[in-house]
Amino acid sequence: MKALLLIDLQIDFCPGGALEVQEGDQVIPIANALMEKFDLVVATQDWHPANHGSFAANHPWRKPGQVIDLHGLQQVLWPIHCVQGSFGANFHPTLNQAGITKVFVKGTDPTIDSYSGFFDNGHRKATGLGDYLKEQGVTAVFVMGLATDYCVKFTALDALELGFATSLIEDASRGVNLKDGDVDQAVREMKEKGVSIIQSDELLSSNS
Ligand code: VGL
Ligand code: ZN
């Protein structure tokens, strides 16, 4: 059984949002089309408390893009984004939410960030996504969304580690590219570790 994992298709990661990803909104119609091809569709939602340690604004004099030590882990600082209950934390308004079976939130602990949909960045706590997929009999996951070089990448790598056959739907994902080439590097790293890199039409053109 295969599952589609929709990563952080939220307003704040789309153009005009607080942590906008270039062309982030362009993957929404692809997500809507892909849903039809899957038995199980699961979404993640970045869902931070206002005092989250990944927000530059919560550290005196710090600016987005700087890196700090946050309780022992390297942390890139971000603009305030995806605050629980805020407008920008909502899924993109054109995303077909009725097609999503279950949503897993992440980044709720103010002391640690969580890029992966499975674990926090220290691999200390699980979100429940891994157990859920296994209970549903899922053996293969197809990962897409925002952002390729952060949450999509770490979700795909954790999925591999948990034993799922893992594919990145490359054209259905967009990245931050804090540094030029970050997205290319992320795709290369996923591929090297064993993630299959595919395009959405490979799934959309099949009859199954
Ligand atoms: C993300 C940075 C901070 C993501 C979330 O969804 O890729 N990136 N929070
Ligand atoms: Zn975040």
Side-chain angles (χ1 to χ4, degrees):
M1 158 118 156
K2 62 194 174 80
L4 178 65
L5 304 189
L6 304 175
I7 308 304
D8 299 1
L9 298 179
Q10 291 164 269
I11 290 169
D12 270 345
F13 297 122
C14 290
L19 207 176
E20 57 185 347
V21 174
Q22 246 186 51
E23 302 181 345
D25 54 335
Q26 292 187 14
V27 308
I28 309 291
I30 308 179
N32 290 339
L34 283 170
M35 286 180 193
E36 315 287 325
K37 300 284 180 182
F38 284 83
D39 317 307
L40 186 69
V41 180
V42 176
T44 64
Q45 192 171 23
D46 212 32
W47 194 247
H48 299 306
N51 66 342
H52 198 262
S54 74
F55 298 164
N58 290 329
H59 303 275
W61 301 107
R62 295 294 181 178
K63 294 278 180 271
Q66 294 182 338
V67 179
I68 64 163
D69 177 301
L70 186 64
H71 308 288
L73 294 177
Q74 293 265 105
Q75 174 70 49
V76 178
L77 292 176
W78 302 107
I80 295 169
H81 65 278
C82 298
V83 172
Q84 295 172 4
S86 69
F87 169 73
N90 289 321
F91 288 118
H92 190 280
T94 64
L95 180 68
N96 174 23
Q97 287 189 53
I100 299 170
T101 309
K102 201 168 164 65
V103 176
F104 287 85
V105 297
K106 62 188 182 58
T108 57
D109 180 343
T111 66
I112 191 164
D113 211 354
S114 188
Y115 293 146
S116 162
F118 292 97
F119 299 99
D120 61 57
N121 290 1
H123 268 230
R124 292 170 194 158
K125 277 195 202 127
T127 60
L129 173 59
D131 286 343
Y132 174 76
L133 293 175
K134 289 194 173 161
E135 279 161 21
Q136 301 297 313
V138 172
T139 51
V141 298
F142 293 75
V143 185
M144 63 152 287
L146 308 171
T148 314
D149 40 356
Y150 287 93
C151 293
V152 171
K153 176 179 111 173
F154 286 98
T155 301
L157 294 180
D158 278 344
L160 262 189
E161 218 170 279
L162 289 170
F164 297 103
T166 305
S167 301
L168 166 73
I169 312 172
E170 188 180 18
D171 65 311
S173 303
R174 291 292 186 283
V176 178
N177 264 336
L178 214 51
K179 287 197 310 296
D180 264 0
D182 276 358
V183 168
D184 293 345
Q185 170 62 32
V187 173
R188 213 174 308 128
E189 187 181 339
M190 285 185 260
K191 190 173 176 178
E192 274 167 17
K193 293 192 167 152
V195 175
S196 303
I197 311 298
I198 65 164
Q199 309 302 321
S200 58
D201 59 8
E202 296 172 46
L203 296 165
L204 293 172
S205 58
S206 77
N207 297 314
S208 59

